[in-house]
Amino acid sequence: MKVAVIGGTGLIGSQVVRDLNAAGHEAVPHSQSTGVDVISGQGLDGAVAGADVVVNLTNSPTFDEASLAFFQTSMDSLLGAARKGGVGHFVILSIVGADQVPELDYYRAKVLQENILAAGPIPYSIVRATQFMEFMAAVLSWTADADTVRLPATPIQPIAAADVAAAVAEVAVGSPLGGIRNIAGPEILPLDELGRITLSRKGDHRTVVTDPTAGMFAVVKGDVLTDRDARLAPTHYADWLS
């Protein structure tokens, strides 16, 4: 199959391209660096021309309210180009539990993206993933100082980016789901405990302080960012750290 991977040079996209090509498909990465702009529409028609599948892995440059406009405009542009190009399957990557955290602008924006796709003219699939293991360093930095890192005990089910990419690639070359597939890491851990594990493995002697008001995940209620019934990926966090 020919697959146009929009956002195909990023963390997930580059691995999706690699996995698809290794499996014998023709996956072509597109991004601003290749002359494709999902906001202005520049290069989109050419990027999706002749593609059987479009995988959209572009991301908003901000996580605030402006992310809503990014996903509205980018999805309108991409769906229009895909429709003109006769694309038969459109895939996006979203977040497990995104619809359960309306307090976060970015999560509301991802739900908007899902809804635009579901209401659009092209058979579709939505892959929802739990939090990426690769993002833990950033999460730690949000509420850290020289001696401590403050984190809430929000349940997290971390998944490796490589496992996310493999799942997206599998969905891309399958029949459109017409709905959502949840994927998740193999274990659920409180975020503060993940912080302690991370610092310990890195030889970082700062103390993790459990603080229910600290950082972005403080607004998350209960275990909505986890899914015990999701398709579980093989990589454990401790192994990924190694």
Side-chain angles (χ1 to χ4, degrees):
M1 301 180 75
K2 183 176 181 180
V3 184
V5 183
I6 315 298
T9 59
L11 173 65
I12 303 298
S14 59
Q15 296 180 78
V16 169
V17 169
R18 179 200 64 201
D19 290 350
L20 288 170
N21 286 330
H25 302 283
E26 181 187 353
V28 182
H30 302 282
S31 66
Q32 284 189 316
S33 65
T34 69
V36 173
D37 190 317
V38 295
I39 299 301
S40 70
Q42 177 184 348
L44 281 183
D45 288 350
V48 304
D52 302 296
V53 185
V54 166
V55 178
N56 177 22
L57 298 170
T58 58
N59 204 5
S60 169
T62 69
F63 294 98
D64 57 15
E65 191 173 356
S67 60
L68 289 136
F70 172 87
F71 285 115
Q72 179 75 62
T73 301
S74 61
M75 286 298 291
D76 288 346
S77 298
L78 279 165
L79 285 170
R83 183 180 64 251
K84 285 190 292 184
V87 171
H89 186 190
F90 197 115
V91 182
I92 65 169
L93 177 62
S94 191
I95 306 166
V96 166
D99 54 329
Q100 301 299 309
V101 194
E103 297 87 350
L104 293 177
D105 292 330
Y106 181 73
Y107 281 41
R108 288 193 293 112
K110 291 300 289 184
V111 173
L112 173 64
Q113 184 190 30
E114 294 180 2
N115 291 341
I116 292 168
L117 180 60
I122 300 172
Y124 72 94
S125 299
I126 297 167
V127 179
R128 279 187 171 186
T130 51
Q131 309 302 310
F132 298 172
M133 295 176 184
E134 283 78 0
F135 290 169
M136 270 304 297
V139 171
L140 292 173
S141 72
W142 294 339
T143 55
D145 58 30
D147 301 311
T148 62
V149 178
R150 295 179 295 110
L151 294 170
T154 307
I156 300 292
Q157 195 168 353
I159 185 170
D163 292 338
V164 175
V168 170
E170 178 187 354
V171 167
V173 295
S175 298
L177 300 174
I180 296 169
R181 174 174 295 172
N182 281 3
I183 59 173
E187 57 201 337
I188 298 172
L189 293 164
L191 182 57
D192 55 346
E193 184 60 24
L194 276 170
R196 293 184 183 98
I197 292 169
T198 305
L199 295 182
S200 175
R201 285 297 188 96
K202 293 179 179 296
D204 188 322
H205 299 294
R206 286 178 296 176
T207 300
V208 173
V209 176
T210 304
D211 181 349
T213 69
M216 183 179 81
F217 293 109
V219 302
V220 177
K221 299 175 179 65
D223 60 356
V224 298
L225 299 184
T226 68
D227 184 359
R228 297 179 187 278
D229 297 320
R231 290 201 176 191
L232 298 184
T235 307
H236 288 260
Y237 189 60
D239 295 332
W240 178 83
L241 283 173
S242 299

